[in-house]
Amino acid sequence: MEIKDIYREIVNEHNLHPSHRGEMENPTKVMAGVNPSCGDKLTLQFRINDDGIIEDAMYTGSGCAVSQASCDMMLDLVIGKTTGEAERLANIFTRMIKGEASPEELEELEESEALEDIAHMPARVKCAVLGWHTMEKLVDGD
Amino acid sequence: MTNLFKKDFPILGDDRYIYFDNAATSQRPRQVTEAVRRFNDETNSNPLRGLYQWSVEATDRYEAARHRVAGFIGAKHDEEIIFTRNSTESLNLIAYSWALDNLTEGDRIVITVLEHHSDILPWQMVSKKTGAVLDYIECDEKGGISDGEIEKKIVPGTKLVCCMEVSNVLGCRLPVEKITSRAHNVGAVTVVDAAQSVPHRPVNVRALGADFLVFSGHKLMAPMGIGVLYAKLSLLENMTPFLRGGEMIESVTRYGAVWAPLPQRFEAGTVNAAGAVGLAAAIDYLEDIGFDTVREREEKLVSLLLDGIRSVPHAEFYGSDDPKDHGGIAAFNIKGCHPHDVASILDTENICIRAGHHCAQPLHDHLGLQSTARASVYFYNDESEAERFIEALKKVRGWLGYGD
Ligand SMILES: Cc1ncc(COP(=O)(O)O)c(C=O)c1O
């Protein structure tokens, strides 16, 4: 997919009408991430229950449409799942960007699969993975 | 605007592309690549070492390049020109070889808030190692610097003053002469970062009051990897070497060495002779065109860009309202659109611009901006490109999903 199509088909909607953007009350875990190439910042707030299930999650920060939309889609996917499952999906996402994920794995990413072709745009890869890397740090050790 | 220049630049032969990232690096004309090719094909050998004809010829061409650069920026002596890799290396050379030895605790280093990271980080290092205080001359929201601010910051006790001539974000020219003359009045040494001015306007080290001056060849059509440090002879003579090794010595014993005379003392190791030859060819090419033509074309183009940005809903540019004070640069933002998205979208239209903080984070912070998009032109760009760029800009918000 050409980048204009990626924007039109998926990125714009999540960027302009995000479902999980904003502050959360009583998060159990908070993690900030920075994209060193542009200085964009993103903060994830997760509420994780005793069973390790992500009950709710939100994000704040400034960034390009790709990083914001990628993060919004990621939260759509992981809310309701365990942190272990979130970690596994983050691993698939990272491998998708490297062109190493199988078609079955890609399906598991649901909407996020649409960012597959970002891999061909090295300048934007860091934007697409910012939320995912930040989440990996957040759930690390859980 | 007829464009007689594009034919000299093979990369610009493909009309689909619009190259508006000239402040990052310029393109190379055939005249430059040809000079580099001739050096390699006719006389490549290690300059300054050989006792045979090729090496003698290589040395001659390398030293002729130094002479060309000296004349170009009004240096009195060829020895005042040190070849480096780029502006960044030149500034670090000053920091390590002059500033660390000459500054002590409590001395003041004054720079401007507009500086490129290359003209900030070396001074942060010097400040941490020597205890000298680093202070900033502030600018207003258009990049202007007041006389009062210069007088307030450059006070007795100031030992080093560094300032760029033209901003790589706003394109405005800084009041260099006022800054350097105030600096000299309080006994400070001056560094001028001319990376963004040398390609666009005549630069004379004495008129600018520069004790040190730096620039990069690649921004004025020379190959990457060749840069210049100008330093006043009286300063250079008393500086310790930056890098040590071959070529920069007169004699070496087991535990000591006698340094070579200037300028070799500051050019350790095998030099980038082909790059220097390319730089001399670039200067020839630039002076053939003439700075009047360069200025005329850039002003015309920037005024089209600024008027165009004004006409694009939700867009604004930064810096002066006067297109004459933009150094070929138009930094801008479109409301609701992150500069990276703007650049990616324009890339699909084959338009090359830069987006981010352009290595000037303190300036962006000072102006309250997270990041900006930047279109920068050179004389080989033309009106039809500026028009295509503005037409594309008008559609960016639509491509990013906005209804207007
Ligand atoms: C004003 C200014 N100073 C310094 C530099 C650093 O130049 P270079 O990367 O060639 O060392 C640049 C270029 O990006 C610049 O615009």
Side-chain angles (χ1 to χ4, degrees):
Chain A
M1 233 189 316
E2 220 212 305
I3 191 146
K4 259 186 210 148
D5 300 320
I6 300 180
Y7 277 101
R8 195 178 56 235
E9 291 188 9
I10 191 89
V11 166
N12 289 342
E13 179 58 24
H14 279 276
N15 180 45
L16 298 177
H17 310 289
S19 318
H20 307 289
R21 206 183 147 74
E23 295 285 348
M24 171 195 261
E25 280 180 21
N26 311 321
T28 57
K29 273 210 153 176
V30 175
M31 184 62 66
V34 179
N35 179 349
S37 70
C38 59
D40 284 349
K41 295 183 192 81
L42 194 133
T43 303
L44 293 179
Q45 309 159 77
F46 275 42
R47 191 159 64 238
I48 303 167
N49 72 15
D50 292 343
D51 301 327
I53 291 171
I54 301 163
E55 286 185 344
D56 197 9
M58 303 278 273
Y59 70 99
T60 57
S62 65
C64 63
V66 172
S67 71
Q68 304 283 299
S70 176
C71 188
D72 203 54
M73 285 190 270
M74 174 186 84
L75 297 185
D76 269 349
L77 187 64
V78 302
I79 291 171
K81 297 200 168 72
T82 64
T83 52
E85 189 64 1
E87 214 167 352
R88 199 179 64 81
L89 291 165
N91 181 277
I92 296 176
F93 188 87
T94 311
R95 281 188 292 112
M96 172 183 85
I97 295 291
K98 290 186 191 148
E100 294 166 2
S102 70
E104 296 76 36
E105 287 178 317
L106 291 186
E107 257 180 49
E108 288 194 61
L109 293 180
E110 297 176 14
E111 259 192 324
S112 299
E113 186 193 345
L115 294 177
E116 188 183 6
D117 290 327
I118 289 278
H120 310 307
M121 295 158 222
R124 307 312 303 278
V125 167
K126 286 200 178 83
C127 314
V129 299
L130 177 60
W132 290 90
H133 282 343
T134 310
M135 181 175 76
E136 279 182 316
K137 278 194 292 170
L138 184 142
V139 300
D140 191 34
D142 260 35
Chain B
M1 197 186 262
T2 50
N3 194 337
L4 303 170
F5 307 105
K6 273 199 169 160
K7 64 172 193 334
D8 291 338
F9 295 80
I11 198 171
L12 301 176
D14 189 338
D15 273 345
R16 288 172 305 166
Y17 291 90
I18 297 179
Y19 186 72
F20 274 1
D21 195 18
N22 292 285
T25 197
S26 60
Q27 297 302 343
R28 330 262 173 265
R30 274 195 185 88
Q31 288 82 342
V32 167
T33 48
E34 180 59 18
V36 172
R37 187 197 64 71
R38 279 203 310 274
F39 177 89
N40 287 321
D41 291 357
E42 293 168 7
T43 188
N44 179 54
S45 55
N46 207 318
L48 313 170
R49 277 188 201 176
L51 298 164
Y52 47 90
Q53 195 48 47
W54 283 354
S55 178
V56 170
E57 175 69 22
T59 310
D60 284 351
R61 291 195 198 185
Y62 182 60
E63 291 305 324
R66 192 189 310 279
H67 183 66
R68 188 73 184 87
V69 171
F72 179 56
I73 58 171
K76 266 196 209 136
H77 312 280
D78 291 359
E79 296 79 14
E80 294 178 318
I81 303 299
I82 308 294
F83 284 121
T84 61
R85 282 190 303 137
N86 48 38
S87 306
T88 304
E89 184 175 307
S90 300
L91 290 162
N92 276 277
L93 194 159
I94 303 167
Y96 281 96
S97 293
W98 185 83
L100 282 183
D101 289 341
N102 287 280
L103 298 186
T104 53
E105 197 168 346
D107 286 346
R108 287 171 60 77
I109 304 171
V110 177
I111 70 178
T112 84
V113 70
L114 291 105
E115 299 311 303
H116 187 280
H117 293 168
S118 293
D119 200 22
I120 299 177
L121 297 186
W123 316 126
Q124 289 181 352
M125 181 278 293
V126 169
S127 161
K128 287 198 181 103
K129 288 208 171 176
T130 63
V133 177
L134 178 61
D135 203 357
Y136 284 84
I137 291 176
E138 309 289 341
C139 68
D140 64 28
E141 83 280 1
K142 305 217 172 207
I145 291 175
S146 72
D147 294 356
E149 182 65 13
I150 295 171
E151 277 168 34
K152 195 170 101 192
K153 297 291 165 66
I154 305 176
V155 291
T158 306
K159 292 288 165 62
L160 177 64
V161 175
C162 312
C163 114
M164 55 181 14
E165 186 178 7
V166 170
S167 162
N168 64 318
V169 177
L170 303 175
C172 55
R173 184 171 188 272
L174 280 67
V176 184
E177 292 85 351
K178 284 184 185 169
I179 290 173
T180 56
S181 98
R182 172 78 183 169
H184 287 150
N185 282 344
V186 302
V189 161
T190 59
V191 175
V192 176
D193 173 358
Q196 292 294 345
S197 54
V198 163
H200 304 281
R201 52 184 299 133
V203 164
N204 182 294
V205 290
R206 273 166 293 159
L208 287 176
D211 299 322
F212 292 105
L213 180 136
V214 309
F215 67 93
S216 301
H218 68 90
K219 291 190 203 276
L220 65 138
M221 300 177 285
M224 293 182 185
I226 187 76
V228 170
L229 166 67
Y230 159 83
K232 257 197 184 139
L233 211 50
S234 54
L235 288 164
L236 265 189
E237 276 166 346
N238 296 305
M239 281 160 56
T240 50
F242 175 44
L243 301 172
R244 291 163 168 80
E247 229 94 62
M248 50 76 71
I249 46 87
E250 205 156 78
S251 64
V252 178
T253 59
R254 283 192 181 209
Y255 303 107
V258 178
W259 310 136
L262 297 171
Q264 278 75 36
R265 192 186 305 165
F266 290 96
E267 293 182 355
T270 298
V271 297
N272 181 4
V277 166
L279 174 56
I283 292 171
D284 287 343
Y285 182 83
L286 185 55
E287 289 199 331
D288 260 3
I289 288 166
F291 280 114
D292 287 341
T293 305
V294 170
R295 195 196 56 236
E296 229 171 82
R297 293 181 65 91
E298 286 177 0
E299 278 175 15
K300 181 90 217 272
L301 290 170
V302 167
S303 110
L304 285 172
L305 293 185
L306 299 186
D307 285 344
I309 294 168
R310 275 193 195 98
S311 75
V312 175
H314 307 286
E316 62 171 347
F317 64 82
Y318 304 106
S320 170
D321 291 323
D322 180 0
K324 287 183 172 34
D325 196 23
H326 267 269
I329 292 172
F332 64 97
N333 264 317
I334 302 174
K335 206 168 160 221
C337 306
H338 191 284
H340 277 185
D341 296 316
V342 176
S344 280
I345 288 287
L346 291 179
D347 177 44
T348 66
E349 299 286 301
N350 299 317
I351 299 172
C352 316
I353 65 155
R354 177 90 185 257
H357 48 60
H358 320 299
C359 300
Q361 266 184 324
L363 175 65
H364 278 81
D365 288 347
H366 179 64
L367 299 176
L369 298 166
Q370 164 76 18
S371 54
T372 52
R374 180 185 74 183
S376 52
V377 301
Y378 208 8
F379 63 87
Y380 45 64
N381 292 118
D382 57 40
E383 272 167 334
S384 67
E385 293 176 328
E387 281 157 13
R388 251 178 69 198
F389 167 77
I390 295 298
E391 282 316 303
L393 217 53
K394 284 182 182 152
K395 296 192 219 137
V396 165
R397 266 178 69 94
W399 282 320
L400 289 175
Y402 291 95
D404 53 356

